[in-house]
Amino acid sequence: MTTPAQDAPLVFPSVAFRPLRLLAICVVLAGLVTLGAGLMGYPMVGVFFGIGLALGLLNAILIQRAVESITADAHPLKRKMALNSATRLLVMTVIGLTIAFIFRPQGLGVVFGMALFQVVLVVSTALPVMKKLKANGVEEAQQ
């Protein structure tokens, strides 16, 4: 017999999340985009792109803290996590779109920075996990 979804315990996989590595990647990306945008005559696009990356990094750190605090409870609630996620995403989206609107058209760099950060986050966390899975697969095959 299976447990209904609403009664199932809240389980989070361990994630290879390294904020300092992400910060270094963001700084390099922001520098490269700012340099490229500056060469094309739009240096503020690069600056706003860097702000978008910073907002993405802030969001990722807030996710990590929320997961740690919610899962520390004896009975973590999925509803609490969902509400936290929805609120945080709403706030980050409003901040990004407000900056993009006020400083248009260069402010759109914020939106692109936030979007690219998600790609960087997925790649930087998926690669170590895949390496670990591959290493475990080799170890199990040898036994």
Side-chain angles (χ1 to χ4, degrees):
M1 186 164 132
T2 60
T3 304
Q6 66 270 17
D7 297 331
L10 186 62
V11 178
F12 291 99
S14 62
V15 178
F17 177 68
R18 296 195 175 160
L20 291 178
R21 178 189 293 174
L22 284 171
L23 176 63
I25 292 169
C26 289
V27 167
V28 169
L29 280 173
L32 290 172
V33 171
T34 302
L35 178 65
L39 291 173
M40 291 188 281
Y42 300 101
M44 289 307 293
V45 171
V47 171
F48 286 120
F49 183 84
I51 292 170
L53 290 172
L55 285 172
L57 182 59
L58 175 64
N59 185 41
I61 291 169
L62 291 174
I63 290 169
Q64 180 186 33
R65 289 187 179 169
V67 168
E68 287 172 356
S69 70
I70 291 170
T71 57
D73 295 341
H75 300 287
L77 299 174
K78 293 176 188 175
R79 184 180 324 166
K80 189 174 181 181
M81 189 64 186
L83 184 60
N84 179 286
S85 295
T87 304
R88 189 185 54 260
L89 288 174
L90 177 66
V91 169
M92 290 295 176
T93 301
V94 167
I95 290 170
L97 291 177
T98 301
I99 292 171
F101 182 76
I102 292 172
F103 298 101
R104 66 182 180 267
Q106 291 89 356
L108 282 173
V110 169
V111 176
F112 292 114
M114 291 172 76
L116 184 63
F117 179 81
Q118 295 306 312
V119 174
V120 170
L121 178 65
V122 169
V123 170
S124 71
T125 55
L127 289 178
V129 170
M130 291 181 67
K131 285 180 184 178
K132 180 73 172 169
L133 290 173
K134 186 176 179 181
N136 285 347
V138 171
E139 291 172 8
E140 289 175 6
Q142 292 175 352
Q143 293 178 359

